[in-house]
């Protein structure tokens, strides 16, 4: 930024080649911004361009065709998303209240189940659903003797609602833990019974957060194609139609236009979300109080009981789901008798170890490169405020709003011909993961960055260091906590998110999520269960490691 | 006596935060609990308010043992350090919140709320949002809210510590006036000697969870019981008589 570097103060080796170092600084910036343009802006433009292609040049015809042909799916999407967002929000709020007011082992168990659900790949609930409530399901068929068709929209809504709960619930738990204890105490002090406190103080204060949950669940449901594809049966949504279009590679113009339809509600929801977030108070920064909410739900009247029952139901179903997953992988049924077997596990290790190792390696690469990218990017954008910073900031936020299919089809359109022929390579998969996750990692880094006093930076410059010294000596050390959070986020997202990657992956170089999806889709439930268990265990291990590393840092800071 | 604390004890794990604390206060008086930060003032106040259960001892108010009564039923209200106002309600809704739980009609509730708002000079802001008020005004709303339920005892936990110096002085005098006017019994917690000396009818100096001295401001200032109380009050040196009582206090600041 400033041209008049103070020179001659620091006589270290660093100061020897100021011109070279300035060049390096520019080069890094160029790489970052170039990456953003190439891997976010360009694919998006490709979709827009392709959706407007018709027989006689530029036209909006395709939108009309899609509207006519897929009107039903669109309505299905909106219906499903509406039901899912309401049901999921009910579950999330109840769960958050249950955990926030709970104590001891129950709270720990609840958090544990939430964490496991959070790091589960998206098809796990569909898989468990088929096993438990399907045509030959443990509960519907074997226990209750029902014969029914489980492949319909209610299954989709139910399963989406369960699997979207963790993110919402953790968000609400965070809000509850930041809630002003004095407000709650005052209410009590003035004579309010627990029921009144819940109704008059807790729920109203939580309202913006609850709205955020409704919104986010809506958007996720609209964009989710995995659940309807696996358990929707003949019930299709626009997202599952896009998936079917794409896997056939039949009509990219049509798929592009369909994606543009998906884009509108997503972007609208995003801006509403941003507006609401302004009202929920700071997300990070101040440490959440570890104090639990002093409220006994059983004494909170009807609303309290509703929370207890719904939250209990959620945990019951989730618990059952994971018991079922593990059981499916290890229990064999021969002529009606059940027995423990490692046969499936052996098969998995024999045929799929390569896939699993590849998944972990990819996830590690994305975690390292992505985190580094986010740290540098947030430094240049938020700290150096390079030219056009707002524009690039918006660009980097774009993938957050986009449904995975949309981002995926953009990559197919952008990178399937020379000179940028990347389809079928690992690079396109890695880049897709990295840039899809960039909005979140950038925000984490920005939050931490804002806590590094600018005076430290000035001090480096003042004492004769240049921008690179600032980065190495102030920014990177200061961003260490963000590094760990981003690493964990990148790793677990890369291991568990299916979205766009399903279309981009080369069948010869499969990943675990893909294999899992494949196995659920084609009915190999034992393999799918083991794959899911593997993914969950690996992610939990890495997250646990990061958690420990973070803890140690903090402890050493104190002492 | 109107309020009696009898041998109160409180531990957090191993740590004994309040030790054998006994106090007395007459009706209509204002007691200041004065002590350095971390000496157990808030803990004591929370026990009187009912938010913490003492590990030993009991609390009597107006002849009744209130120790087992939960806070929502105690005739005691607290003005919290960070006010604890409800940000999603208007000023009037805040002030009348506690009245909802009394047997009053909507009309009575409104009138009572407005009269207390008038008392603190905020009647014209009745419909404002809490966020639209300044710190001093929020402070007054919190006070009005606590007084509106007409408690037998009102507790205040460093209520002025978030205000700037000038406003603090003003609020002190206003509080004193209100307390006299309404004849309400108050316990006021502070770590500020000057504040305690201005406000209190009686001052209880706390040190590491125990009562060091309880007396009127004047007596306290003139005859600090121990060197540490003297030091805390800003009395630097004491000269002792042969019999061990204070002979002379050399003050760094003049008496107020
Ligand atoms: N909930 C708690 N758990 C453990 N220790 C506490 C808790 N609350 C207060 N303490 C400790 O008790 C001591 C007295 O606290 P407090 O009553 O808040 O002091 P004061 O209000 O005089 O500053 C402090 O050392 C504090 O760390
Ligand atoms: Mg205190």
């Amino acid at each position: 930024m400033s041209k008049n570097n103070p020179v001659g103060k620091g006589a270290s080796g660093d100061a020897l080649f100021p011109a070279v170092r300035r060049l390096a600084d520019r080069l890094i910036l160029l790489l970052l911004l170039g990456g953003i343009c190439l891997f976010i802006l360009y694919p998006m433009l490709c979709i827009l361009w392709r959706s407007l292609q018709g027989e006689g040049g530029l036209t909006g015809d395709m939108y009309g065709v899609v509207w006519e042909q897929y009107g039903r799916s669109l309505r299905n999407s909106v219906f499903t998303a509406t039901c899912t967002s309401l049901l999921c929000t009910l579950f999330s709020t109840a769960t958050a209240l249950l955990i926030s007011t709970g104590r001891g082992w129950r709270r720990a168990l609840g958090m544990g189940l939430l964490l496991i659900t959070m790091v589960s790949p998206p098809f796990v609930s569909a898989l468990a659903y088929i096993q438990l409530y399907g045509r030959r399901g443990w509960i519907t068929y074997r226990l209750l003797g029902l014969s029914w068709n489980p492949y319909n929209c209610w299954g989709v809504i139910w399963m989406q609602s369960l699997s979207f709960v963790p993110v919402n619930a953790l968000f609400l738990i965070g809000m509850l833990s930041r809630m002003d204890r004095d407000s709650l105490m005052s209410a009590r002090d003035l004579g309010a019974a627990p029921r009144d406190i819940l109704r008059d103080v807790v729920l109203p204060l939580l309202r913006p957060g609850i709205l955020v949950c409704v919104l986010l669940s809506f958007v996720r449901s609209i964009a989710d194609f995995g659940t309807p594809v696996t358990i929707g049966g003949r019930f299709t949504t626009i997202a599952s139609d896009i998936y079917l279009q794409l896997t056939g590679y039949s009509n990219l113009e049509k798929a592009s236009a369909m994606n543009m339809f998906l884009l509108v509600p997503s972007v609208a929801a995003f801006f509403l979300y941003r507006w609401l977030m302004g009202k929920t108070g700071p997300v990070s920064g101040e440490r959440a109080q570890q104090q639990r909410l002093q409220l006994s739900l059983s004494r909170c009247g009807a609303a309290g009981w509703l929370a207890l029952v719904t939250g209990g139901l959620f945990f019951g179903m989730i618990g059952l789901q994971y018991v079922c997953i593990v059981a499916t992988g290890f229990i064999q049924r021969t002529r009606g008798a059940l027995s423990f077997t490692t046969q499936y596990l052996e098969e998995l290790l024999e045929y799929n170890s390569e896939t699993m190792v590849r998944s972990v390696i990819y996830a590690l690469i994305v975690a390292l490169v992505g985190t580094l990218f986010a740290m540098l990017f947030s430094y240049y954008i938020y700290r150096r405020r390079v030219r056009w910073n707002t524009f690039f900031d918006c660009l980097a936020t774009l993938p957050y709003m986009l449904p995975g299919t949309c981002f995926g089809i953009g990559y197919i359109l952008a990178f399937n011909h020379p000179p940028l022929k990347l389809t079928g390579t690992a690079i396109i998969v890695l880049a897709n993961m990295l840039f899809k996750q960039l909005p979140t990692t950038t925000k984490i880094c920005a939050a931490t960055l804002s806590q590094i006093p600018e005076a430290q930076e000035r001090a480096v410059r003042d004492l004769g260091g240049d921008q690179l010294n600032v980065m190495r000596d102030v920014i990177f050390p200061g961003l260490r906590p963000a590094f760990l959070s981003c690493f964990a986020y990148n790793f677990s997202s890369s291991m568990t998110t299916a979205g766009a990657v399903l279309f981009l992956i080369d069948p010869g170089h499969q990943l675990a999520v893909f294999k899992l999806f494949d196995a659920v889709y084609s009915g190999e439930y034992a393999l799918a269960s083991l794959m899911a268990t593997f993914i969950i265990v690996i992610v939990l291990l890495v997250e646990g490691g990061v958690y420990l590393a973070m803890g140690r840092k903090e402890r050493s800071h104190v002492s | 006596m109107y309020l009696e604390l009898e041998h109160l004890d409180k531990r957090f794990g191993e740590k004994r935060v309040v030790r054998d604390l006994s106090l007395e206060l007459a009706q209509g008086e204002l007691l200041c609990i004065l002590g350095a930060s971390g000496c157990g003032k808030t803990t004591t106040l929370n026990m009187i308010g009912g938010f913490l259960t003492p590990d030993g001892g009991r609390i009597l108010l107006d002849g009744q043992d209130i120790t087992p009564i939960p806070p929502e039923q105690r005739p005691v209200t607290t003005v919290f350090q960070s006010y604890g106002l409800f940000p999603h309600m208007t000023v009037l809704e805040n002030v009348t919140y506690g009245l909802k739980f009394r047997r009053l009609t909507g009309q009575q509730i409104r009138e009572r709320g407005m009269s207390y708002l008038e008392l603190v000079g905020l009647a014209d802001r009745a419909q404002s949002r809490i966020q639209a008020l300044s710190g001093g005004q929020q402070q007054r709303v919190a006070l009005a809210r606590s007084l509106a339920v007409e408690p037998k005892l009102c507790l205040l936990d460093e209520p002025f510590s978030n205000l700037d110096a000038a406003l603090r002085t003003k609020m002190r005098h206003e509080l004193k006036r209100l307390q006299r006017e309404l004849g309400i019994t108050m316990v006021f917690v502070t770590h500020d000697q000057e504040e305690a000396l201005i406000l209190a009818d009686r001052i209880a100096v706390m040190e590491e969870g125990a009562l060091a001295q309880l007396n009127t401001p004047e007596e306290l200032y003139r005859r600090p019981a121990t060197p540490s109380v003297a030091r805390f009050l800003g009395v630097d040196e004491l000269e002792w008589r042969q019999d061990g009582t204070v002979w002379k206090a050399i003050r760094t600041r003049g008496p107020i």
Side-chain angles (χ1 to χ4, degrees), chain A residues 34-49 395 398 410-411 413-420:
Chain A
I36 298 271
C37 288
L38 184 62
F39 289 105
I40 297 179
L41 184 60
Y42 176 52
M44 290 320 298
L45 292 179
C46 284
I47 298 191
L48 185 63
W49 178 246
L395 265 190
L398 204 59
Y411 272 51
L413 292 173
F415 304 117
N416 67 351
H417 47 76
L420 281 169

Side-chain angles (χ1 to χ4, degrees), chain B residues 180-232:
Chain B
R180 285 272 152 77
E181 234 167 67
L182 301 171
I184 186 157
T185 317
M186 283 186 174
V187 177
F188 187 106
V189 158
T190 180
H191 65 261
D192 183 324
Q193 302 83 345
E194 197 185 332
E195 189 159 87
L197 292 165
I198 292 174
L199 276 172
D201 294 312
R202 304 217 284 159
I203 296 179
V205 182
M206 271 182 85
E207 270 170 14
E208 293 177 6
L211 182 69
Q213 190 173 6
L214 172 65
N215 220 324
T216 61
E218 227 180 315
E219 280 298 297
L220 199 74
Y221 206 75
R222 217 163 264 158
R223 279 185 275 280
T226 66
S228 58
V229 170
R231 222 175 302 123
F232 190 68

Side-chain angles (χ1 to χ4, degrees), chain B residues 85-102:
Chain B
L85 293 171
F86 309 126
H88 56 290
M89 299 181 190
T90 63
V91 167
L92 185 62
E93 280 167 350
N94 263 281
V95 173
T96 54
Y97 185 77
L99 301 175
K100 286 204 326 184
F101 309 109
R102 309 286 188 277

